[in-house]
Amino acid sequence: MIDELLAAAHTRLNGYIVKGLTDPNRGTGFGWAIHNKNEFARALQTGPEEASYSLTTLLVAENDANEIVGCVHAGPAEHVMDTALAKVPQQDQMSTAIAAFLGLVKLHGISVRPDHRGRGIAAALLRQVIGSYTRAKRLLMYGQFKTTEDLSDFYRGQGFHVPTVGTSLSTRAIFQPNDVVLTHEPGYRLFYRDLALPRDTSWERSAGVRR
């Protein structure tokens, strides 16, 4: 059911996360280092995949029959880290990787089973995720949704900004002095929320700016 819900949200779990879910010998679960930088440093020493796993959230909602009726998936944006690393010399790559992992969180997808929509399940799941990453002092949460689904009112109701189609986001506040520009895919629209930075931080770039 989780796979179906994530597919409806136009996302999926990567292979490393799926392996972790099905490994009975694994001693740590999702997000085990979200609130502990020392634990995250240990995960990063293992490798970028384990570091990503240690900061990933996968929450589910169940009905009275213990059926999964909703889920939300959030965590690091690995492609952003890859782009950031390409901009810096070797000696700066560790600090850049840490900035990417600890500064930015992507809402990969949120979905509720059709027969359970309209009950506030998605909003409740999202509040849990926002609260967790806010306490962990992440700086920016962002994601994208299909323009045909028009979820603007939903995300604005949860405290997100929804800029006009074509607007991109600057992450210079995270990767100073470098910048990685976040853009949406064709047919999608970005949304974002400040989690820890002052409200006068400017994330948006002019419409049409591309990475």
Side-chain angles (χ1 to χ4, degrees):
M1 176 54 70
I2 291 176
D3 288 341
E4 295 175 11
L5 287 169
L6 290 177
H10 315 295
T11 188
R12 60 185 176 84
L13 301 176
N14 65 40
Y16 191 87
I17 291 177
V18 172
K19 182 180 178 181
L21 271 175
T22 57
D23 183 358
N25 298 315
R26 184 176 180 87
T28 54
F30 284 117
W32 57 274
I34 288 176
H35 300 282
N36 190 315
K37 289 186 178 180
N38 291 331
E39 291 296 315
F40 170 70
R42 183 164 67 88
L44 190 57
Q45 288 178 346
T46 302
E49 289 182 321
E50 182 63 22
S52 179
Y53 186 93
S54 76
L55 300 179
T56 292
T57 294
L58 180 66
L59 298 179
V60 300
E62 296 182 340
N63 61 13
D64 292 338
N66 296 321
E67 299 171 324
I68 295 176
V69 297
C71 71
V72 59
H73 174 214
E78 291 91 346
H79 69 286
V80 175
M81 183 187 70
D82 292 341
T83 302
L85 291 177
K87 294 175 176 283
V88 298
Q90 182 70 34
Q91 64 268 24
D92 295 333
Q93 293 205 347
M94 178 60 73
S95 62
T96 299
I98 292 173
F101 277 126
L102 299 184
L104 188 67
V105 56
K106 182 175 183 180
L107 185 64
H108 295 288
I110 184 168
S111 182
V112 174
R113 215 170 72 181
D115 60 334
H116 280 68
R117 291 175 185 169
R119 305 183 188 184
I121 295 173
L125 287 169
L126 191 50
R127 283 195 298 271
Q128 290 289 324
V129 170
I130 292 170
S132 178
Y133 287 108
T134 298
R135 290 190 298 274
K137 298 184 179 179
R138 298 301 182 272
L139 303 181
L140 177 69
M141 177 180 287
Y142 82 103
Q144 63 177 12
F145 60 84
K146 276 194 170 184
T147 54
T148 54
E149 296 172 347
D150 194 12
L151 296 170
S152 302
D153 290 343
F154 169 74
Y155 283 110
R156 288 192 181 108
Q158 306 306 314
F160 287 83
H161 300 275
V162 184
T164 58
V165 174
T167 300
S168 54
L169 304 178
S170 167
T171 60
R172 191 178 300 278
I174 296 173
F175 296 111
Q176 294 181 4
N178 296 306
D179 192 9
V180 177
V181 179
L182 308 178
T183 61
H184 58 72
E185 298 176 50
Y188 284 78
R189 188 172 179 180
L190 287 172
F191 59 89
Y192 70 95
R193 174 172 169 151
D194 296 306
L195 297 182
L197 285 180
R199 287 295 177 178
D200 60 355
T201 299
S202 177
W203 296 103
E204 295 184 24
R205 293 169 59 111
S206 300
V209 175
R210 291 319 231 210
R211 176 165 41 179

